[in-house]
Each structure stands twice: as C-alpha cells, then as structure tokens.
Amino acid sequence: MSPRVRFAPSPTGALHIGGARTAIYNWAFARATEGTFVLRIDDTDAERSTPENTAQILRSMRWLGIDWDEGPEVGGPHEPYFQTQRAGRYAAALERMKASGTAYPCFCSAAELEAKREIARAGEGPTGYDRTCRGIDPSVAAARIAAGEPHVWRLAVPEDRGDIVVDDIVRGETVFPASAMDDFVLVRSDGTPTYNFATVVDDADMEITHVIRGDDHLSNTPRQILVFEALGHAVPRFAHLSMIWGADGKKLSKRHGATSVEAFREEGYLPEAILNYVALLGWSLDGETTIISRETLAREFSLDRISKNPAIFDFEKLEWMNGVYIRDLSPAGLAEKMIPWLVEAGLTTTADYEARPAWYESLVPLIAERAKRLTDIAPALAFLFTDGVTLDPASADKALGSDAARDSLAAAADALAGLGSWDHDTIESTLRELAVTLGVKPKVLFQAVRVAVTGSVVSPPLFESLALLGKEASVARMRAALHA
Ligand code: GLU
C-alpha cells in the first residue's frame, strides 16, 4: 500500500515556519513515494479557530506550491476534511468502543477530580485518573446516563498493556511506562471529542500510514497508540520533527523576525526560496547540496535523512538563497514578479507594464545582481520613474561637495549632451575619455554623475542606468544637480 500522510493544522493562527516545514515534509514524502497527501483542518478549538486563518493557511500552502490530493477545496473520498464537520465519525467510533468495552463513562465531577489531583500532588495517590468509574456496572452506568447525569467517556487502558514503545522514524525508540497512562478522556461532557481521540479516529478513517509532525506531539503519541489499538486499527508509523530554533538557541518566535509564511511573502521572498530553505531545516539531500528545486525535493525526499537535532533558522542564509532564486529567474520572469512591488510603491501601473513589457525586462539587469529580496527592487529603480530626483544629502556632500567634482559633472553633462547615439558602451567610453582629458579619477567622475542622476551613491550599475533613463533626462538631472 502506498503511503498516506496528512498535514493537520489548527486554524488558530497563520501558517508559520514550523507548520510549513511539517506540510512540506508530508507533501514531499507523498510525492517521492507516489503516496497521497491529505490536508485536514483541526478546527475543534472553536474559540480560536477562524475561517480567515484557514483561508490564510491554504493560501500560504498554495503560494509555496504545496498541493494536496485530498482536503478542503479539492475534496476526496474521506470528506469532510474539517474536524468540526466530522462529529458523526467520532460518535460512531465511540459507539464501537462502548460495544467492545474499551470506553466507559465517568461521572466524577470537576471538584472530585481536583480533590484526587490534590491527593496525588501530596504523593498519596496515583497520578492521573484513579479509575473510580471503571468499575461501575454497565447497567447502572446506563441508568445514570439515561437519568441525564453529566459524564465524560474515558479510554479503558488494558490492565496488561505494558509499556508503550514509540518506535519513531526520526528519534528511534522512546518508552512510555504504562503506569504513566491513565484512562484519559476521549469525549467531554458536552459531547466534543478531545484532540487525542478526534485525531486518531480521523487518522484511522483516512487510512494514514505515516504521521509526520512536530515533536511537541511526541508525548501524545503513546495515548494515540492506545486509541488505535482500542479501535482495532493498525498503528501508523510516526516521525516527530525536532524544534526550529533562532540563532540564540531559543524556540523560533516573532522576536527573531518574520515567522509566518505570509510575512515572508510580504518581505519580498520567493516561494521557491522559502520552500528550499525550510526543507533544509532538519533534512538534507546529501549533506552538502543547498539549492534544491521543488522537483528534486519531490523526487528525492526521504524520511531517513531527517535529523533529530534542532534546526537553526538563519535569516541571512535565507536571504542569500532568495537572491540566488531571484537571479535564477528569466528577465521576463523577474519583470513579472517585480511589477506588483513597483505598482505598490506608486511608481508604475500594470497597464504600463502590459503596454511595454520589453522595457520592463530591460530593467532586470539593473537589479538582478544585487537584489536579495523583491522589496529591494522598487527603491533601486525609483529614479527611472520620477521626473527628477531628490539628492540624498550625504551622497551629495560626498560626491558633489568639491569644486573639482562639480566642474567635472558640468563637463560630463556637456559631453553626454553632444552624443548622437545613446547606449551603454558609448556612454561609458565618453565618460572614461572625459576623465582622462580632465585629469580626474574615473571613479570621482562616475560618482558625481551617479548621485546627480539617481540621487544616491548607492545605485544600480551606472552606464545601464543612464542608458535606460535616456539622454535628455540624464543630462537635465546632471545640470539640475549643479544648481542644487
Ligand atoms: N492540529 C494539530 C496541530 O496543529 C495536529 C497535530 C497532529 O499532527 O496530530 O498541532
């Protein structure tokens, strides 16, 4: 049977890096093994789950290019894929467990349970539920239920079960002593299922073969194994992923920077770069390859190359990788990606791009080498879209502060104004020759021209910039800078 895996986010917030990694590993494992990737929305926390969060999670997954074979919006044989819509399934599973005697009603009140916990804390009683109600005669229990007495349903952990061994694909064996497993609650007094019950009913129903998730769930796993056993269902394999840390060795959080996929998108990251980088947080292809395409990941991913050590999230490395992916785009591809950012910065319109796409593609060489994020592009290209530029005072001071610099800028304006053709090479040779004639360092001359034309000492490559801006505008800006 080919693997069936699931990603089961709770829509209590955005899709964060940790969740994205879980989704990516499940997806990649399904793709690499020709298995099935199921998306299930664990929305049982009614207070914190919202449709907006679900929509955002789905949007982030689609943006990353993680497609699911069964789940919301695509359907599948195990519909519905929202836990809140599966109450009938949980009720049916509970009925089966009642019939087999693996679940029993418990009438202990909250106050009674608290008193028991108090005794346990004092070291005088068992930790966990003491099974008071397990011995109630079924006909008595049925009568109390019929009389409307509030009750929960608990798992009857087999007395002879013995220790529970979780044989984790990533972490190896962890033994959970049977004594630590109490008869935990499956269904609350209001009829809602607990996480450990709903999840197992769903994983069993959906024929999940491998549960790949964060290791914050490792402690739930022995309980879930007991539920699988009570349902008479094969237990899936488990793979628990280690935590993701910030550079300081603490759990990755907002303090470290962006953590939601949406925030990275807004910061100008490409989905390919996020997918690649996040995939490497705890998995490696061969220990050295860092640039791994979606296709390679989908073909080569394997669970046995997941590391059990915590992964460190390195924002600088991600940014570097994003630059690699930006440079990997074709001019047309990058032009298309940068347009929304130029539009948002108020520099241009989509209509203008559609009217002259080739011109926008010709801007790509100006920024491709240096851009690390899409957010770098609009500031770097802004000078091309404005009538004039405001000189950055520090830049002007540095590049135009001396008489010599201003004289050479005036001479450069005259020399360029006289040119018959206007292209990169002609501009470059004209300015280089002028520097020789004037006896100034080329760098000094170029810097003066750069600041006059772009407003700043930091700009895209000079001759390309001038060529794209056009002769008239370039010369006008140089002259304007002399009067500034
Ligand atoms: N809804 C749970 C979570 O988001 C899923 C845990 C699991 O994969 O079983 O943490």
Side-chain angles (χ1 to χ4, degrees), residues 128-196:
Y129 182 59
D130 66 358
R131 301 184 169 168
T132 303
C133 293
R134 188 158 163 169
I136 297 175
D137 185 86
S139 58
V140 174
R144 288 173 72 171
I145 291 170
E149 192 171 338
H151 60 284
V152 301
W153 288 89
R154 291 182 181 274
L155 178 73
V157 177
E159 311 265 10
D160 57 352
R161 174 57 181 77
D163 295 345
I164 297 143
V165 180
V166 179
D167 182 14
D168 190 271
I169 296 171
V170 176
R171 309 172 59 98
E173 283 190 1
T174 309
V175 179
F176 293 85
S179 58
M181 296 296 123
D182 67 350
D183 288 355
F184 57 91
V185 176
L186 303 169
V187 175
R188 301 182 189 94
S189 55
D190 64 1
T192 58
T194 58
Y195 158 69
N196 280 324

Side-chain angles (χ1 to χ4, degrees), residues 397-459:
D397 206 41
K398 207 162 134 193
L400 301 169
S402 70
D403 285 344
R406 299 171 70 83
D407 289 347
S408 49
L409 179 63
D414 292 340
L416 294 180
L419 288 181
S421 58
W422 188 256
D423 57 72
H424 172 284
D425 290 355
T426 311
I427 296 165
E428 176 167 7
S429 58
T430 305
L431 290 178
R432 284 193 189 282
E433 276 163 31
L434 180 66
V436 175
T437 313
L438 297 175
V440 298
K441 286 198 187 111
K443 229 182 104 185
V444 172
L445 176 63
F446 298 166
Q447 200 70 321
V449 175
R450 179 190 306 282
V451 170
V453 170
T454 70
S456 165
V457 286
V458 188
S459 85

